[in-house]
Amino acid sequence: MEIQGQAAIVTGGASGLGAATAHLLAQRGMKVFAFDLAPSIEKAPAVDHVEYLDVDVTDHASIRRGIATVKAGTEPLRVVVNCAGIGTPGRILSRRGPHDLHQFAQVINVNLLGTFNVMTLGAELIAEQQPVDDDGQRGIVINTASVAAFEGQIGQAAYAASKGGVHSLTISAARDLASYGIRVNTVAPGIVETPMMAGITPEFRESLEASVPFPARLARPEEYAQVVLDLIRHDYLNGHTVRMDGALRMGPR
Ligand SMILES: NC(=O)c1ccc[n+]([C@@H]2O[C@H](COP(=O)([O-])OP(=O)(O)OC[C@H]3O[C@@H](n4cnc5c(N)ncnc54)[C@H](O)[C@@H]3O)[C@@H](O)[C@H]2O)c1
């Protein structure tokens, strides 16, 4: 699908993988609406053709307001990329007792329900656009899981469950939205170099890098953005989860 002159929504678009994606899509001629929380937006750089909107993906009314702003713009919405996510660790049972249920629900709420809600309301607007090709394609949704969807580590129960949900949703959503000409794919990254990684010790970094078969380094946010662009461009990729992990298979810890 050609993206020049079209609009995209990128949630979590003020930081990390979302920011790299927002920047790449804007460079390639899209008008990008970066949905994120105010504290992240305040730290984000001004980038041409990227408009930051204070949208909480756990709040239905907030997403609706964001989508209304997108709809009021001149470029038709074609692309929704869900990157907003949190990863609060916690074991199911530890010396401190059972897993805090509220904390589990919060991770599901942001990562799975937030993704579902932005996808759903975004698809509603994409479905209003004219098809762009003879197949009747109108647009694409790309969600973000994690290799934890398949190999959740110790202390990742909530995160793994949320990302497993995002992965499982992919084929169902692709089938549901097929009649509107909307493709749905998911990216499951391994370990990516984001601001979060800046504080780790050189020893821990080395052990993380050594766990990746090839290339034996952390992935770059720009490499995630490149997968998003490849998925947008390839009209026959649908209902698919792409692992972007250098052949990493996570161990228990
Ligand atoms: N960095 C990695 O190694 C890695 C690996 C696998 C998967 N992922 C996934 O990729 C996505 C992006 O991760 P990242 O490393 O760029 O993280 P990040 O913390 O740099 O960015 C996440 C962004 O999401 C935003 N966000 C959080 N809750 C939100 C909400 N309720 N509403 C709107 N925005 C909200 C944050 O403000 C932040 O700007 C996440 O879903 C994460 O689980 C990351």
Side-chain angles (χ1 to χ4, degrees):
M1 191 174 62
E2 287 304 321
I3 55 175
Q4 182 86 29
Q6 317 289 308
I9 292 170
V10 181
T11 75
S15 176
L17 310 190
T21 303
H23 301 174
L24 182 62
L25 296 182
Q27 267 171 28
R28 300 304 169 101
M30 295 197 92
K31 168 70 196 256
V32 180
F33 295 89
F35 288 8
D36 211 315
L37 302 175
S40 279
I41 292 176
E42 280 157 22
K43 285 184 250 149
V47 175
D48 282 350
H49 310 297
V50 176
E51 184 173 336
Y52 296 102
L53 297 179
D54 183 354
V55 172
D56 182 342
V57 302
T58 66
D59 178 345
H60 189 80
S62 175
I63 301 169
R64 278 233 176 268
R65 281 195 295 276
I67 301 262
T69 303
V70 177
K71 190 172 178 173
T74 45
E75 299 85 357
L77 181 67
R78 299 287 178 194
V79 174
V80 172
V81 186
N82 275 300
C83 287
I86 58 170
T88 319
R91 293 192 188 201
I92 291 173
L93 203 51
S94 71
R95 264 176 247 135
R96 273 170 291 156
H99 199 296
D100 182 318
L101 194 58
H102 172 75
Q103 192 185 309
F104 188 93
Q106 181 59 16
V107 174
I108 299 289
N109 202 19
V110 176
N111 294 0
L112 182 55
L113 299 188
T115 296
F116 178 75
N117 212 2
V118 174
M119 173 172 69
T120 303
L121 299 180
E124 186 184 27
L125 180 53
I126 297 175
E128 289 177 17
Q129 315 301 340
Q130 289 303 313
V132 289
D133 59 25
D134 294 344
D135 295 323
Q137 180 167 210
R138 289 190 167 81
I140 179 169
V141 178
I142 297 168
N143 296 328
T144 308
S146 160
V147 293
F150 311 102
E151 300 116 34
Q153 296 188 291
I154 288 172
Q156 282 193 322
Y159 187 70
S162 71
K163 295 301 188 178
V166 171
H167 163 64
S168 297
L169 193 54
T170 311
I171 185 63
S172 200
R175 288 169 167 172
D176 273 3
L177 296 176
S179 57
Y180 298 97
I182 300 171
R183 292 182 291 126
V184 181
N185 290 292
T186 293
V187 185
I191 314 166
V192 191
E193 178 96 58
T194 56
M196 201 173 64
M197 294 289 175
I200 63 173
T201 64
E203 293 75 28
F204 186 46
R205 171 181 291 274
E206 264 176 42
S207 77
L208 285 177
E209 290 176 342
S211 69
V212 185
F214 188 82
R217 59 168 172 78
L218 306 188
R220 303 175 183 122
E222 295 74 22
E223 290 173 316
Y224 168 91
Q226 186 60 49
V227 176
V228 168
L229 194 59
D230 293 345
L231 288 168
I232 293 170
R233 282 183 170 156
H234 200 304
D235 296 334
Y236 209 75
L237 283 177
N238 193 13
H240 184 53
T241 296
V242 184
R243 289 183 69 126
M244 187 200 77
D245 61 8
L248 170 70
R249 297 295 178 267
M250 292 285 207
R253 63 181 82 233

